[in-house]
Amino acid sequence: MLRPHMPGLLRRVETLVPRRAAQFGGKARGLAALARAGFPVPAAYALSGVACETFFRANLEPHELPSALLTADVTATELEAIAEKVRCAPLPADLERRLRDAYLSLRREGATSVAVRSSSTREDQDEASAAGLHESILHVRDEETMLDAVRVCWASVFSPRVLAYLRRVGVGDADAVVGVVVQAMVPSDVAGVMFTVNPLTGDAGEIVIDAAYGLGSGIVDGRVSPDTLRIDKATGVPRDRVIGDKHARVVLAEEGGTREEDVTPADRERLALTDAQLEELTQLALRIEQHFHGPRDVEWAIQGDTLYLLQARPVTVALQPGTRRWQKRRVDPHARAHLVWSNVNVGEALPGVATPFTWSILSSFSELGFRRAFGSIGCTVPKDAELVGAFRGRIYLNLTEFMSILSQVPGLRPKTILALGGGGEVDRLEAEVESRSSAGFLARLPWTAARFAKENYDLQDRIDRFEAYFAGERQRLLSLDLRVLASTPLDRVLGDVERLLDASGTVMLTVYGNLLSSVVALTTALRLFAKDRADALQRDLLTGLADLDSAAPGLRLWYLAETARAEPEACATLLAADPAKLRTDDLPRGPTRKALEAFLEAFGHRGTREAEIAEPRWREDPTLLFATLQIHLRGGRESGPLIVEERQRRVREAAEAELAKLVPAPLLPAFRHLLTLVQRFLRLRERLRGTVTEVLGFFRLVALDASRRIALLEPDAGTDGAFFLTLDELHQTLRHPGRAAVANRIRQRRRQLERDRALPDPPDTFVGFPPPVSETHTHRTDVLTGLPASSGLVEGRVRVVRTPIEAAAFERGEILVVGQADVGWSPLFLVAGAVITDLGGPLSHASIVLREYGVPAVVNVKHGTATLRTGDRVRLDGDRGEVRLLERAVVEDAASVSA
């Protein structure tokens, strides 16, 4: 074999032509592209992978070459032995001399040390980054260590992870080698990573920056919790900022390499970046994305007043369908700081931190849904309106935009809307929301009214046709054994589920739009005639609906408990077992087990946090169901559903009688017709919400099987990897199995999700962006004020429940306190003396169910789970929306004692 020509194998990165430098590896090509475009890149040399290939052939046996190992069955021990041979073999004299010259050249240019980085020919590609697979050695201070580091980079090919990756992406002989970058070390004061598109949500309208003190390796390795800033591209204003712990900084060690040192408490609690540095990074991100014609993942470092780019690679994330493509808008850059965001209502449907898979599906579904709903009542929605946002993984609604859109309806004020859906900053919204002209709304009113009438005329037929279609699809999907399908057919099943969600959503959103129209009309009319009694009267008019689908699970469980009472063996089994370990098969064959199987057939797709696709359903984890059955069985024979139904019917009839006295006789028929419409749409909404929840369950089934397939190829991805991919990314993974590695992306997103979950919940309503975590504080007060959801005055002991397993300790008659009360918690409502929630509104799903059960409730108290403790005694007024602390629990939890 001819000896390679060394001068062409070791070159300054700025002399490389990226499209002709594949043999130098992805990292070198990325640096070359940055340097040639004029971006600030530290001085660096790139060593071609050809030198690596030549070195392997000179020092290894044929069966030890990477090309042979890709098709061989080899152990980790054997691979380590080959890697050791590479690390110990001498370099060719000519190559050694040129590497020494390169090192000395960098030192003469001012570098105090260098970083030696692997630059694989199969990394930093559009379809797969392979980030973190190969070695990088930092702060190399002498020539000998630098030469050793080059061999360490080459030896990194012989790791099980790298070979597994190369097998998946498919490589030729020349691809199983590593180029090397020798780069001037930047002893940074602040460093981090920057994405020109949100890597979790695929939102192209924002830049995400992680920053910490010292070297960026602390962030990349996960040793340091950085500051995270999300920047709106259109305005340059932060959408959110999280001050990370930053307890330590990674710095250069005197003897070479790196070490950690503590960060002072004062520095931990402030942002690592100054405003000027943040502005410089933001502008740089926009320039990089424009130059490369696509999103980029950038590593950067700041030393003194100088910003350097250490590398840039493609972001391997699929942009969301329907994602707002950002464009510079003529918007006051400071206007975003005045936006009001709230999750009071939507947080009940999707509480807590959402996984990327769930967010990718529900964010576009919600955005489209709100636009259709506004359109159904005759309001126009700006194309660039940002209706839904994510803050620290939680979903929020842009109330400022909502109220501005609804201001087209004459006489409709923010106060009226917030009384229905919940949310704060009423005075600000009343004062600052710029009202839009009602001329267009009024001009469209005849057409809107005609469309409303037409949609309602054939709505039931449309629903009947849809439900027949849904029943057929449901049976077909449940009959499939996903495990035996190849990846391409499984991808088609995922597409079928998407179409089913679209069909479900189309019908449901029509109902939502009609409900919004009719509720707005009813609320406005009641305020005209009932004055201060309007809100209470409306709640009572919308109770006692009898056949509400969302109330059905709790009622069926009551009947199931009665069945178990009549079957001593089943009753004893239920009472004796740990509800977290109990399963249907543990029950003796008989009426109780049969009834439970029927219950799970009908409602097994529901569960707590049921809008989060990664959360198990009742059929997978029936802990809450068995805990509720135990509570029923431990108590006496309380009032049954028929008595509850009769009581709530009388409440509604009393409200209807009061309405008849307040409304002039000529208008009363129209009022009653409007009320009938609202009641009808409420029933339909709850029914269709259950349908959509079942469709989300189908997404879960596909994601679970896709996770199993991903784990077989990439064990590092874990058993739930698909939930950390977006919908489009999962399609790509199933269509091209093994082509692109996703484990690194999944690990990164899992770390981010865990970090978001560890953060305190942002305020349910805030202005601009949530306060930094360091500014949050515990709320202590004797009076909690929320929104009245269900009438009644109750005194009792509090039980704070956050997870289904905690429900096992619940006692009949206690006051249930939860962060949110979606339908998945409804089985507990019938055994609770009252219910308190942090989130929610009077027309939320839980509020409607609570009124059906006649359980007093106050929702939207904001800090109930933070303020109240299990054992506290409170008085709850469901008419005034007030919870008063009467007595603190005698035994405090350990955290309270230590505090």
Side-chain angles (χ1 to χ4, degrees):
M1 177 181 294
L2 292 176
R3 188 176 184 182
H5 183 50
M6 288 300 170
L9 297 185
L10 183 65
R11 298 174 55 181
R12 287 290 290 244
V13 292
E14 62 269 23
T15 68
L16 298 177
V17 178
R19 68 177 181 275
R20 300 174 183 169
Q23 70 272 22
F24 287 88
K27 193 175 279 88
R29 293 172 64 195
L31 286 171
L34 288 171
R36 292 170 70 89
F39 291 104
V41 174
Y45 284 84
L47 178 63
S48 171
V50 174
C52 174
E53 180 185 14
T54 304
F55 182 83
F56 285 168
R57 292 188 180 278
N59 293 280
L60 299 177
E61 298 298 327
H63 69 276
E64 295 175 326
L65 295 174
S67 55
L69 296 174
L70 289 174
T71 57
D73 186 9
V74 60
T75 66
T77 301
E78 292 170 327
L79 288 175
E80 174 56 28
I82 299 172
E84 183 63 17
K85 286 178 67 174
V86 172
R87 289 191 290 264
C88 295
L91 292 172
D94 191 18
L95 175 59
E96 180 179 327
R97 178 177 59 81
R98 293 187 180 278
L99 282 170
R100 291 180 185 274
D101 289 345
Y103 176 81
L104 293 174
S105 175
L106 293 174
R107 292 296 298 264
R108 285 193 298 269
E109 293 178 44
T112 57
S113 63
V114 300
V116 181
R117 304 175 185 270
S118 301
S119 180
S120 170
T121 57
R122 294 297 295 182
E123 72 176 328
D124 294 356
Q125 303 175 86
D126 288 333
E127 70 275 9
S129 72
L133 286 182
H134 293 281
E135 293 290 339
S136 289
I137 299 89
L138 305 181
H139 194 32
V140 175
R141 301 188 61 196
D142 59 77
E143 298 171 41
E144 297 302 326
T145 306
M146 183 266 299
L147 297 175
D148 290 341
V150 170
R151 287 188 288 261
V152 168
C153 290
W154 286 347
S156 66
V157 171
F158 302 97
S159 76
R161 285 181 60 198
V162 171
L163 289 176
Y165 170 76
L166 294 175
R167 290 188 188 106
R168 284 194 301 273
V169 298
V171 298
D173 291 353
D175 287 321
V177 294
V178 176
V180 176
V181 171
V182 181
Q183 187 176 44
M185 189 73 206
V186 178
S188 53
D189 304 309
V190 182
V193 294
M194 174 170 64
F195 296 87
T196 66
V197 60
N198 190 313
L200 298 183
T201 67
D203 187 348
E206 67 184 29
I207 300 162
V208 180
I209 300 173
D210 283 347
Y213 302 115
L215 304 181
S217 58
I219 297 176
V220 175
D221 297 341
R223 288 179 285 166
V224 175
S225 178
D227 300 333
T228 299
L229 300 103
R230 294 169 46 221
I231 309 299
D232 181 59
K233 286 181 179 177
T235 63
V237 175
R239 291 182 176 179
D240 191 13
R241 57 177 185 172
V242 176
I243 296 182
D245 179 53
K246 305 189 300 294
H247 67 282
R249 59 164 58 90
V250 178
V251 298
L252 304 182
E254 292 182 5
E255 66 277 11
T258 63
R259 63 180 176 84
E260 287 187 10
E261 66 179 27
D262 292 338
V263 173
T264 65
D267 284 342
R268 294 184 196 181
E269 294 176 3
R270 66 176 179 86
L271 291 172
L273 289 169
T274 66
D275 291 343
Q277 290 169 336
L278 180 59
E279 173 65 19
E280 185 178 7
L281 277 169
T282 300
Q283 294 304 316
L284 200 58
L286 297 176
R287 287 173 51 205
I288 290 171
E289 187 172 66
Q290 183 178 26
H291 177 78
F292 287 102
H293 305 292
R296 282 298 183 269
D297 165 9
V298 181
E299 290 186 24
W300 55 269
I302 298 175
Q303 179 188 7
D305 296 328
T306 306
L307 169 63
Y308 296 96
L309 299 184
L310 305 182
Q311 66 181 67
R313 61 170 69 93
V315 175
T316 50
V317 58
L319 299 182
Q320 287 307 299
T323 288
R324 289 172 295 100
R325 302 289 173 172
W326 81 276
Q327 56 183 349
K328 206 71 175 177
R329 299 196 300 267
R330 294 182 179 179
V331 178
D332 176 1
H334 300 290
R336 189 175 189 88
H338 297 282
L339 296 179
V340 177
W341 295 89
S342 177
N343 72 342
V344 166
N345 195 282
V346 73
E348 181 199 50
L350 185 55
V353 179
T355 58
F357 188 60
T358 297
W359 174 253
S360 68
I361 293 169
L362 292 187
S363 59
S364 57
F365 181 79
S366 300
E367 181 94 15
L368 178 61
F370 286 124
R371 288 179 179 274
R372 286 178 176 174
F374 286 134
S376 71
I377 63 174
C379 293
T380 58
V381 182
K383 290 182 179 180
D384 64 349
E386 183 183 3
L387 302 178
V388 180
F391 295 89
R392 299 168 199 175
R394 286 88 166 167
I395 187 171
Y396 279 79
L397 302 183
N398 184 346
L399 289 189
T400 302
E401 192 75 77
F402 271 57
M403 299 309 163
S404 179
I405 293 168
L406 288 171
S407 70
Q408 298 170 69
V409 182
L412 188 60
R413 297 172 55 194
K415 183 177 182 180
T416 303
I417 299 299
L418 294 180
L420 294 173
E425 299 292 338
V426 177
D427 292 339
R428 178 186 289 269
L429 290 168
E430 291 271 344
E432 295 186 1
V433 168
E434 181 179 350
S435 296
R436 297 182 179 176
S437 171
S438 298
F441 174 86
L442 294 173
R444 290 186 297 272
L445 192 57
W447 179 82
T448 302
R451 186 183 63 179
F452 182 83
K454 180 181 182 300
E455 286 182 346
N456 283 284
Y457 177 77
D458 65 356
L459 180 60
Q460 192 57 55
D461 287 341
R462 291 172 59 195
I463 291 174
D464 291 343
R465 290 195 299 272
F466 162 73
E467 290 186 335
Y469 159 72
F470 179 81
E473 282 296 280
R474 179 182 187 274
Q475 182 176 3
R476 183 180 69 84
L477 290 170
L478 290 176
S479 68
L480 294 174
D481 185 350
L482 302 182
R483 296 169 300 176
V484 303
L485 297 179
S487 290
T488 299
L490 184 62
D491 177 65
R492 286 197 292 268
V493 172
L494 181 59
D496 292 341
V497 177
E498 281 186 82
R499 285 184 286 276
L500 190 58
L501 179 65
D502 185 64
S504 305
T506 299
V507 177
M508 187 179 77
L509 293 172
T510 299
V511 170
Y512 266 58
N514 288 346
L515 177 60
L516 178 61
S517 305
S518 55
V519 165
V520 166
L522 179 63
T523 301
T524 303
L526 283 174
R527 290 189 182 280
L528 181 64
F529 293 104
K531 308 297 182 185
D532 294 341
R533 280 280 298 155
D535 292 342
L537 189 58
Q538 179 164 290
R539 287 196 305 274
D540 291 346
L541 288 169
L542 299 180
T543 192
L545 302 182
D547 55 349
L548 200 69
D549 276 51
S550 298
L555 299 175
R556 283 277 291 271
L557 272 186
W558 184 91
Y559 285 115
L560 209 160
E562 292 300 294
T563 301
R565 287 184 197 275
E567 190 179 359
E569 188 179 355
C571 186
T573 301
L574 286 169
L575 287 172
D578 179 351
K581 299 177 180 178
L582 195 56
R583 292 295 181 267
T584 306
D585 291 345
D586 296 327
L587 295 176
R589 294 191 178 278
T592 303
R593 178 168 168 174
K594 185 176 180 180
L596 183 57
E597 290 170 344
F599 178 94
L600 291 175
E601 173 67 23
F603 305 111
H605 59 279
R606 310 215 72 149
T608 54
R609 293 194 75 230
E610 60 190 10
E612 170 52 67
I613 300 173
E615 288 290 323
R617 275 35 185 171
W618 282 342
R619 65 167 58 95
E620 301 169 72
D621 181 7
T623 299
L624 184 72
L625 306 181
F626 286 120
T628 304
L629 286 172
Q630 287 183 347
I631 297 168
H632 279 303
L633 293 171
R634 286 198 301 263
R637 291 178 176 270
E638 70 282 359
S639 299
L642 293 179
I643 296 175
V644 171
E645 179 184 326
E646 175 63 21
R647 183 178 68 228
Q648 295 309 103
R649 182 183 61 79
R650 288 198 298 269
V651 170
R652 188 189 73 242
E653 289 175 348
E656 291 171 349
E658 182 180 352
L659 180 70
K661 296 176 182 178
L662 295 172
V663 178
L667 299 179
L668 195 55
F671 252 91
R672 286 173 172 162
H673 178 67
L674 181 58
L675 178 60
T676 300
L677 283 179
V678 173
Q679 292 170 340
R680 178 193 180 205
F681 292 140
L682 275 176
R683 290 188 180 97
L684 289 174
R685 184 190 74 166
E686 296 307 296
R687 193 161 101 206
L688 292 167
R689 162 69 187 266
T691 300
V692 170
T693 301
E694 189 160 13
V695 177
L696 297 181
F698 294 142
F699 276 112
R700 175 171 171 78
L701 293 176
V702 175
L704 285 171
D705 196 73
S707 296
R708 177 184 62 81
R709 297 165 190 247
I710 292 170
L712 289 174
L713 292 172
E714 300 179 78
D716 289 351
T719 58
D720 58 351
F723 297 106
F724 294 90
L725 300 176
T726 65
L727 179 60
D728 273 11
E729 290 169 345
L730 186 56
H731 272 303
Q732 293 172 12
T733 301
L734 292 175
R735 289 168 188 166
H736 310 289
R739 177 178 297 181
V742 295
N744 188 63
R745 191 185 321 168
I746 289 168
R747 289 195 302 272
Q748 177 194 44
R749 290 177 179 174
R750 185 179 284 111
R751 286 197 302 267
Q752 182 62 51
L753 183 118
E754 291 169 353
R755 181 190 180 194
D756 285 340
R757 282 178 175 167
L759 294 172
D761 284 329
D764 53 52
T765 304
F766 58 84
V767 180
F769 46 83
V773 173
S774 59
E775 295 179 15
T776 60
H777 59 278
T778 303
H779 298 269
R780 292 297 180 190
T781 179
D782 289 341
V783 179
L784 295 171
T785 303
L787 297 173
S790 185
S791 299
L793 184 65
V794 177
E795 288 188 13
R797 295 288 178 186
V798 158
R799 174 75 61 176
V800 180
V801 178
R802 293 181 175 86
T803 63
I805 190 60
E806 293 177 353
F810 194 86
E811 298 290 338
R812 177 182 299 280
E814 288 182 322
I815 295 178
L816 174 66
V817 180
V818 288
Q820 68 289 320
D822 61 18
V823 176
W825 287 108
S826 62
L828 277 182
F829 294 170
L830 272 176
V831 296
V835 174
I836 301 168
T837 73
D838 289 346
L839 303 177
L843 290 182
S844 64
H845 302 281
S847 295
I848 294 171
V849 174
L850 286 161
R851 286 197 292 273
E852 287 303 295
Y853 293 168
V855 178
V858 177
V859 300
N860 192 28
V861 300
K862 303 184 187 302
H863 310 296
T865 52
T867 302
L868 300 173
R869 297 192 298 263
T870 294
D872 289 349
R873 187 171 182 81
V874 302
R875 179 187 295 118
L876 179 146
D877 190 332
D879 295 291
R880 297 176 59 189
E882 181 182 282
V883 178
R884 183 174 294 275
L885 179 63
L886 302 178
E887 177 188 340
R888 275 290 180 195
V890 175
V891 180
E892 297 184 334
D893 57 50
S896 299
V897 172
S898 63

